[in-house]
Each structure stands twice: as C-alpha cells, then as structure tokens.
Amino acid sequence: MSPAAQLRSLAREHVAVAALTIPRLVRHRVWRDVNPHEGAGLGVVLVPGFGASDLSLTFTTTWLRDRGYLPTGASTGFTVGCTSELVDRVEQRLAEHAEATGGPVVLIGQSRGGGLARVAAARRPDLVCGLVMMGSPVLDPMGAHPQVLLAAKALAQLSRVGVPGLMSTDCLSGDCFEDNVRAAAEPLPPELPAVSIYSKSDGIVPWRLCLDPSADCVEVHSTHTGMALDPDVYRALRPRLAEWAAQRYDLRATG
C-alpha cells in the first residue's frame, strides 16, 4: 500500500468518522429489538482497545444491559500500559465479576483489548464461558498500522524517562513481548467458545491477523474504530451470546 493510500485508510479510522455510523446502528432492528430476559444475568467483562477507555464501549455496554446481561468495564485505563500488567488487571476483574455474578462470564475485547482478553481467558478458562475479539491482531500484535506502532514506541520512550503507567520498550521487543506473544498464540481450550470478528475495511489491523485458529472467525464490513458501532457485529454476537447464556442457565428448554 502506498503512503497516500495508508493515510487515506488511517483518515477513515478517525473517531468522528466512526460516530457517523451511530444513526445506522440505533435505527437497526438488532438495536431496537430488546429482550430484557435474553442474557439471564450473564456477566460480561469488556476490554477496550489501545488508547481507548471503557467509555469507548459504551454502546456495547448499553446493548448488553438492555438484553439482560450484566456488563462491566475491565478498568484498564486507556490500555496503554505494560501488557503483562494489563493482563493481570483483566484477570483480576474477570475473577471479581465472576464472583459477583455467580459463575463464568463472557470476555469481549476490541483491538488490543481482544488480545489481552484472549491471554486472560487462556489463563483462567474456568472463569470464562465465551470469548469475543473484535479487530484483534492475535496472530501478530505488532502487525498494526505503522502510525499506531510509532505511537506505541513514543509511549515506550516516555516510560524510559520515568512517566508511569505506560508500556516499556520490553513490551515491544524484550522478554515481556516474547512471553506475551507466546501466550497469545497458545491454542484455547476446545471447550471454550471464541469468536474473532474482522473486517477487510479495517485501516488499523490487517484482517488476516485476526484469523485466530481457535476461534470462529466472522467477517463484517466496518472500520476498525467503528467496529463496536456496526450492526453486523451485534447480529453476529446476539445468537452466540444468547446460546452461552442458555448453556450456563439451562434455558434452552424454555427458549
């Protein structure tokens, strides 16, 4: 891809462009068709992407809550810290929410958050009844758009001069990086259902990096930043989430 094409692709990923898709989502049947009993109180932990906070998944949180799920944020801040520390935080939040809701929960992560969620799920499959990764480069965490990698390297340099709470250079190329890449590549337990959502229109993450061999890979047609605002994402998730809730609470006999 030429530099000009890369810039055009990156421009489509601006949050203002993603926001333009909100009216389409809220008019869509998958948003308006509400069933408050569908989730049966199943817990869900949401992990935001690189540079994003829990607020970036507000629409996902609202959609889940309206259907009877109990969603909560992973409390990873802007998800720019050390990978190992962020995975530990996701795992802790996972354990807390599983205890609060009375059993295994669903993990949903966008972009980097999906990779963090995958490692946490592999560590504690006993606490997870389903995993969703949206635009997550699990096959190569360093395969994102060059501009994103530049931002990550800039944060690592700030960490070197003493700015706290950021990823270090070790997270990009050292032992920490190698350990987490190895953990992210481990096969998931066969009893743990997983979904990886990808888009060939993704201007941040090459779609092939999302093709997790341990997951059911589903194609949508959104941008990377707009993935959580795409009706097709919710159309793909709804039957899977409902099945996970039914399996946990044995609701299949009653529909």
Side-chain angles (χ1 to χ4, degrees), residues 62-142:
T62 300
W63 184 85
L64 290 166
R65 188 176 291 124
D66 287 348
R67 282 150 190 83
Y69 298 91
L70 296 177
T72 186
S75 300
T76 54
F78 286 94
T79 323
V80 294
C82 168
T83 301
S84 296
E85 293 176 0
L86 290 175
V87 171
D88 289 344
R89 201 176 305 173
V90 172
E91 184 179 346
Q92 179 182 351
R93 195 74 186 99
L94 172 64
E96 292 171 349
H97 203 46
E99 182 178 1
T101 57
V105 303
V106 175
L107 265 176
I108 298 179
Q110 183 171 17
S111 192
R112 190 189 189 198
L116 300 175
R118 192 190 193 284
V119 176
R123 282 187 187 177
R124 296 298 308 272
D126 57 309
L127 298 178
V128 182
C129 64
L131 169 66
V132 177
M133 299 165 284
M134 300 190 298
S136 302
V138 294
L139 299 186
D140 180 7
M142 296 298 290

Side-chain angles (χ1 to χ4, degrees), residues 7-255:
L7 287 175
R8 287 194 298 270
S9 178
L10 196 60
R12 289 195 298 271
E13 296 293 350
H14 195 283
V15 290
V17 176
L20 295 176
T21 66
I22 293 175
R24 175 172 173 258
L25 173 62
V26 298
R27 289 195 304 264
H28 199 281
R29 180 177 178 179
V30 76
W31 182 271
R32 293 185 290 106
D33 185 11
V34 175
N35 178 359
H37 306 293
E38 189 171 301
L42 178 62
V44 184
V45 175
L46 298 114
V47 191
F50 178 78
S53 69
D54 289 338
L55 290 176
S56 67
L57 294 172
T58 296
F59 277 84
T60 307
T61 299
T62 300
W63 184 85
L64 290 166
R65 188 176 291 124
D66 287 348
R67 282 150 190 83
Y69 298 91
L70 296 177
T72 186
S75 300
T76 54
F78 286 94
T79 323
V80 294
C82 168
T83 301
S84 296
E85 293 176 0
L86 290 175
V87 171
D88 289 344
R89 201 176 305 173
V90 172
E91 184 179 346
Q92 179 182 351
R93 195 74 186 99
L94 172 64
E96 292 171 349
H97 203 46
E99 182 178 1
T101 57
V105 303
V106 175
L107 265 176
I108 298 179
Q110 183 171 17
S111 192
R112 190 189 189 198
L116 300 175
R118 192 190 193 284
V119 176
R123 282 187 187 177
R124 296 298 308 272
D126 57 309
L127 298 178
V128 182
C129 64
L131 169 66
V132 177
M133 299 165 284
M134 300 190 298
S136 302
V138 294
L139 299 186
D140 180 7
M142 296 298 290
H145 192 284
Q147 295 296 325
V148 177
L149 296 182
L150 285 175
K153 291 176 181 178
L155 292 174
Q157 292 301 319
L158 289 174
S159 178
R160 289 186 65 182
V161 298
V163 179
L166 304 177
M167 65 175 64
S168 68
T169 53
D170 193 45
C171 289
L172 300 177
S173 60
D175 292 340
C176 177
F177 172 78
E178 296 295 337
D179 289 345
N180 285 296
V181 168
R182 192 179 306 111
E186 289 184 2
L188 293 171
E191 66 275 12
L192 176 58
V195 180
S196 181
I197 298 176
Y198 68 93
S199 172
K200 293 180 181 179
S201 301
D202 193 320
I204 300 294
V205 173
W207 64 273
R208 290 180 179 84
L209 301 184
C210 303
L211 303 182
D212 189 330
S214 293
D216 180 13
C217 298
V218 178
E219 182 181 2
V220 296
H221 303 285
S222 73
T223 60
H224 185 81
T225 55
M227 199 166 282
L229 302 173
D230 188 337
D232 289 342
V233 170
Y234 296 97
R235 289 176 61 191
L237 291 184
R238 187 167 194 178
R240 291 171 170 85
L241 291 170
E243 176 66 16
W244 298 342
Q247 287 176 348
R248 175 176 166 185
Y249 294 106
D250 198 18
L251 302 176
R252 285 165 292 183
T254 61

